[in-house]
Structure formats: structure tokens, C-alpha cells
Amino acid sequence: MAMSVVAWLSPCTTISSPNKFSCCSAISSQAESSFTTTTATAIRPAVILPGLGNNSNDYEKLALILKGYGVPTAIAKVSRIDWLRNAAGLLDTNYWRGTLQPRPVLDWYLKRIDEAVSEAKELAQGGSGTLSIIGHSAGGWLARVYLQEFGSSDISLLLTLGTPHLPPPKGLPGVIDQTRGLLYYVEKNCAKAVYSPELRYVCIAGRYIQGSRFFNSSSTHSSEFVDGAEQPMSEVAAVSNTNAETQTGSPFRTRFVGQGYKQVCGQADVWGDGVVPEISAHLKGALNVTLEGVYHSPVGSDDATRPWYGSPAVVEQWIRHLLV
């Protein structure tokens, strides 16, 4: 179960060429401009959803940064020991079949989301009445489950940070679905991503380190292929932050990271944030953003040498989505 718990944080990645980024960046500008002229200027309160294995305290600095931008924030109350509740899934035969469903195993987390949403509503103070949800890692796809189960009328933005949205491909040797079916359930049953005036999905991925295989047995340029197929860019947009540097790492490190990526997307030698591959953190229909040099977790991060999604300089790259 320990392996399954850790792996809920991870997904798959593909690399886009600079030309693809620049092309899609132009699409992004057009897509976002259509909202800046029609959306109310009142800043919505935000709800932060912790990722698997994290606790609420890990996000207090991020909440302070958001407050500095004028965004009142509530953090879902989660402790590290709370995640042990997921062990209840071991008693469900669907766990062993790989067909596990979020409920009732994750009811405790959905309740924490609902409590945080209620807290954020109290912070609205005459605003538009809608909220933004910021889901880090597993918190992103758990937000999608929440919207499916509790409704999305109060939510106008779902912004995910390094979330493994896509389930791993089936039938690949050495690849086991670490979520035991949860991401397949989300993909099949949760609403598809949209980018509309009523509800906007913004999916942010990091390119911190490229994984590698233990043995190079293919001459195919695998950074452009996952499971034998080229991975398309989002139909909406993708942009990159080219000011930061990505990491190459030692051979052992890249192979270790690559094995984690492989369990998420079926491919080891792809780019990601060190835990979640880039391609798994994007959704078709969303505004997809890739940021260079961004690490996955607040734990083990450093604002100067290993910034994560919530570091000040990185928040500056995505804060505009909360301000429109």
C-alpha cells in the first residue's frame, strides 16, 4: 500500500519542441484575452487542496503569497497521518482488481474539501460568489471528483499544479496502476476539462528533470512518444517559462526518476517535475501550461535552487489566472 500511496502523486510526460511552444503560446494569448474583457474584476477566494502525503502546513507559505496578491485563501485541513485512511481500500476487492472507486475510500478528503469551500465562501465579502480551487498533485484530480459529486456551480476556476490527471496505459510490461483504478474512474466518470467563462480548467506542469531508462533498447526519440504514439498538445493552449533551467541529473538519479515516470505514463525517458510527468499533468480541453525548472513538492524544495509550484517566482507565472 505504501507504494500505491506514494504513486498517487505521480503521472506521465512528453516533450514539446520550442516551435510547438511558441505556436501554442499565441493561441494561449487569444484564449485568455477573451476572458479578461468579460470577467468581473472582483478577486475570488481560493481553496488549496494538498497533495498525497502532504499536510496543510506545507501550503501556508503559498497562502501568504496569494494573500499578498489580494487572494483570500482557505487550505483544506489535512494531516500526513490522515492519508493512512486510504488503507481502507485494501479491504475492497476492487483494490485488488484494479477497479477501485473514490467513494467511500476518499470520502474523508471530499469532506475536507467541502469544509474548505465553506470557509472560503465566508471570505468572499461581496465578491462574485464563485471560488477558485488550486489542487496540488493528487489534490487536482480529487477536486475533479469533488466537482462531480458536489457540483461546480460555486467554482469558476480549477487550477491544478503537477496533478497526475491521466491513468497509466494498460498492458505495458512493468507498469502497474498505482492508484488501483482511481484515475481510470476519474477519466471515465468525471466531467471533461473545459475553458469557458463559467468554468476554466488550467493545468500546470513542471519540467524539472528528464528521466531515463535502465537500458536503452530503442532508437526512437522517446521524448516525443509515449506508448508508441505521439502526444498531441492541448487544443486550447500550452505555454512555457523559458527563463529557468531544467536539470539533467546523474545517471542513477535520472533512472530512478524515470522508473517513477514509467509507472504513471508507461515511459521512463520523458520530462516531468521529478514526480509527475509533463504529459500526465495536462488535460485535453484545458488551458495547459508548462513551466521550466519547476519541482513537484513543497517538501524538499528551495525557492532559489529547487523552486516548486508554490515558490514566489513560480506563483508569479500563474497568479494571473486567479485575478481575472
Side-chain angles (χ1 to χ4, degrees), residues 269-283:
D269 47 354
V270 292
W271 283 88
D273 61 15
V275 176
V276 172
E278 179 185 353
I279 193 65
S280 297
H282 287 167
L283 277 173

Side-chain angles (χ1 to χ4, degrees), residues 192-215:
K192 303 303 180 184
V194 295
Y195 193 78
S196 66
E198 295 75 28
L199 177 60
R200 293 174 295 139
Y201 280 65
V202 178
C203 301
I204 299 179
R207 271 173 53 120
Y208 179 76
I209 186 171
Q210 183 180 20
S212 63
R213 305 181 185 188
F214 272 110
F215 304 101

